[in-house]
């Protein structure tokens, strides 16, 4: 069976550094930090009092007020990114075969705020009036609902489900969509991810693990991947959506083509519930699997958008994996962590970073890793590698590789390349 080619024909993004794709990309290239004091709740007693929140967001600008009340914030984010992507791709629901248009969205946690809110309401009222829950509690909270809600808005009847693999979730969503389309199971799939967990349970839970940066007095510089002074990741939120489409279908309807999905990979560390393998064995394997899937060699890759969360152990293991797999070519690559600007969007990270890779391939420019200071070097990291510190770099990007790794040892990788006939 001859596999079909899969291209990217639309993009949508709602992020801490931009509420549309053009705004996101402009601030990414400029090296703008999305970090700020937490506004979703009073974080004054928390170890981490800042995060990368979406700014100036009003759900009712995009969603009917009555319907928005039935949705957790993460679902609202998902819908907004999907709407931008569908419009960008020029999908006409009047002429399209909607039975062959699907939605696959990744989420790491889901409706955490809804869960937290409902349980607290129950705890505060059960002694006086008995258990009382919002009838929309479950359908607001469950992780799969964002994909379902998007399908209902447009009437998309194709494959519809959610991938949940912690911070690798939306990269896995892209991989699943890619495989379904190239096997001929769908013409178009909205592949993305969303997350909105900057609430007490989310921040408190990650603080308890000592996973978050506590640089409260210098939050704009707190996400500092590959710097010796890194002290944890900065939590982010938002959504990203890519329209994946079978090539001949895209050409037939005259769609613009951003880039081509070359291949995807998955692997497991099988090592620890939260820590990455210290030698990066799972990270190396997932990149190798993606290259084999794409029928590409290490020399074909120009840019790696790394997982690069700014954690003491994780950054080191990913560098080890890159050096072990790419050998001498590692020194010819551009490497950057866009989490230095967006923070870590958890289940939405893979989709947002795949958008960054797509635009890097399209525009031949690599976004930076910000916040590295002269002399702030970790002796376990090879600084002869080009981490694209602090300033975007122009170069030909024929192919970009995006890494995402999640708690539980889940690893996912997506390779995006220039589209050519």
């Amino acid at each position: 069976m001859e596999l079909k080619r899969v291209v990217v024909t639309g993009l949508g993004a709602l992020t801490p550094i931009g509420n549309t794709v053009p705004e996101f990309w402009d601030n990414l290239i400029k090296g703008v930090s999305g970090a700020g004091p937490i506004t979703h709740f009073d974080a004054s007693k928390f170890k981490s009092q800042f995060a990368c929140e979406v700014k100036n967001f009003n759900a009712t600008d995009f969603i009917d007020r009555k319907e928005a009340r039935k949705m957790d914030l993460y679902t609202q984010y998902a819908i907004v990114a999907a709407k931008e992507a569908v419009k960008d791709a020029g999908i006409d629901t009047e002429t399209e075969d909607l039975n062959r248009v699907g939605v696959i969205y990744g989420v790491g946690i889901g409706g955490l705020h809804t869960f937290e809110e409902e349980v607290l309401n129950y705890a505060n009222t059960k002694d006086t009036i008995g258990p009382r829950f919002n009838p929309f509690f479950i359908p607001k909270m469950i992780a799969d609902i964002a994909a379902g809600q998007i399908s209902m808005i447009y009437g998309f009847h194709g494959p519809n489900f959610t991938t949940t693999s912690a911070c690798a979730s939306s990269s896995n969503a892209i991989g699943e969509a890619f495989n379904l389309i190239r096997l001929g199971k769908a013409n178009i799939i909205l592949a993305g991810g969303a997350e909105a967990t900057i609430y007490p349970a989310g921040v408190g839970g990650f603080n308890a693990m000592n996973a978050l940066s506590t640089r409260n007095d210098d939050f704009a510089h707190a996400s500092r991947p590959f710097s010796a002074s890194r002290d944890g990741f900065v939590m982010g939120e938002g959504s990203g959506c890519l329209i994946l489409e079978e090539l001949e279908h895209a050409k037939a309807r005259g769609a613009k083509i951003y880039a081509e999905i070359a291949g995807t990979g998955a692997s497991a560390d099988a090592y620890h519930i939260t820590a990455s393998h210290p030698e990066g064995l799972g990270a190396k394997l997932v990149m190798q699997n993606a290259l084999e899937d794409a029928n590409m060699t290490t020399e074909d890759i120009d840019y790696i958008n790394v997982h690069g969360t700014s954690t003491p152990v994780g950054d080191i293991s990913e560098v080890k994996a890159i050096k072990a797999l790419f050998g001498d070519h590692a020194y010819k690559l551009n490497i950057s962590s866009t989490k230095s600007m967006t923070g870590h969007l958890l289940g939405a990270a893979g989709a947002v970073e795949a958008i960054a890779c797509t635009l890097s391939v399209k525009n031949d420019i690599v976004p930076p890793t910000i916040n590295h200071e002269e002399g702030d070097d970790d002796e376990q990291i090879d600084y002869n590698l080009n981490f694209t510190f602090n300033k975007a770099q122009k170069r030909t990007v024929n192919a970009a590789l995006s890494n995402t790794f999640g708690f539980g040892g889940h690893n996912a990788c997506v390779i995006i390349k220039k589209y050519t006939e």
Side-chain angles (χ1 to χ4, degrees), residues 253-289:
R253 69 180 189 90
K256 70 175 179 292
I257 296 174
Y258 282 97
E260 182 172 358
I261 305 294
T264 64
S267 76
D269 277 2
Y271 173 72
H272 189 270
I273 57 173
T274 58
S276 57
H277 191 284
E279 298 303 315
L281 297 186
K284 177 186 175 184
L285 178 60
V286 74
M287 291 186 284
Q288 183 177 315
N289 289 344

Side-chain angles (χ1 to χ4, degrees), residues 109-136:
I109 297 175
L112 182 66
H113 177 50
T114 295
F115 183 83
E116 175 185 86
E117 190 175 53
E118 289 295 322
V119 170
L120 288 174
N121 285 343
Y122 168 67
N124 292 332
T125 61
K126 64 179 181 178
D127 291 336
T128 57
I129 60 174
R132 180 176 294 180
F133 287 89
N134 187 315
F136 293 104

Side-chain angles (χ1 to χ4, degrees), residues 100-293:
R100 293 185 59 79
V101 182
V103 184
I104 304 176
Y105 251 65
V107 61
I109 297 175
L112 182 66
H113 177 50
T114 295
F115 183 83
E116 175 185 86
E117 190 175 53
E118 289 295 322
V119 170
L120 288 174
N121 285 343
Y122 168 67
N124 292 332
T125 61
K126 64 179 181 178
D127 291 336
T128 57
I129 60 174
R132 180 176 294 180
F133 287 89
N134 187 315
F136 293 104
F137 170 34
I138 298 301
K140 282 177 69 174
M141 176 201 72
I142 52 179
D144 69 301
I145 202 65
Q149 289 278 15
I150 293 166
S151 74
M152 287 180 260
I153 289 170
Y154 292 103
F156 296 152
H157 293 285
N160 188 283
F161 57 92
T162 289
T163 52
T164 298
S165 47
C167 305
S169 296
S170 53
S171 290
N172 282 136
I174 294 169
E176 291 299 306
F178 171 65
N179 284 322
L180 284 170
I181 293 172
R182 67 175 175 171
L183 289 170
K185 304 294 186 181
N187 295 333
I188 298 172
I189 296 181
L190 284 66
E195 203 80 85
T197 57
I198 303 175
Y199 289 100
V203 176
F206 281 114
N207 267 160
M209 298 168 55
N210 295 317
L212 298 181
S213 171
T214 57
R215 195 183 283 257
N216 294 309
D217 58 346
D218 189 23
F219 52 78
H221 301 99
S223 185
R224 45 200 308 113
F226 309 111
S227 295
S229 56
R230 65 193 184 278
D231 68 328
F233 73 83
V234 177
M235 191 180 292
E237 64 174 0
S239 181
C241 180
L242 296 87
I243 305 295
L244 270 55
E245 187 166 353
E246 193 273 320
L247 173 60
E248 296 305 320
H249 184 274
K251 289 164 65 175
R253 69 180 189 90
K256 70 175 179 292
I257 296 174
Y258 282 97
E260 182 172 358
I261 305 294
T264 64
S267 76
D269 277 2
Y271 173 72
H272 189 270
I273 57 173
T274 58
S276 57
H277 191 284
E279 298 303 315
L281 297 186
K284 177 186 175 184
L285 178 60
V286 74
M287 291 186 284
Q288 183 177 315
N289 289 344
L291 285 168
E292 291 176 359
D293 188 47

Side-chain angles (χ1 to χ4, degrees), residues 15 17-29 56 84:
T15 77
I17 60 170
N19 291 10
T20 64
V21 169
E23 186 180 1
F24 161 68
W25 179 244
D26 183 56
N27 286 327
L28 203 67
I29 294 304
N56 304 314
E84 183 185 12

Side-chain angles (χ1 to χ4, degrees), residues 352-392:
V352 170
E353 289 158 16
I355 291 171
C357 287
T358 298
L359 294 174
S360 182
V361 166
K362 182 178 183 293
N363 297 305
D364 288 323
I365 186 167
V366 175
T369 305
I370 67 169
N371 294 331
H372 185 75
E373 299 169 351
E374 187 175 354
D376 190 9
D377 294 344
D378 186 325
E379 63 181 14
Q380 296 186 74
I381 291 176
D382 185 350
Y383 290 97
N384 291 312
L385 297 170
N386 183 0
F387 291 100
T388 323
F389 282 134
N390 299 322
K391 187 176 180 180

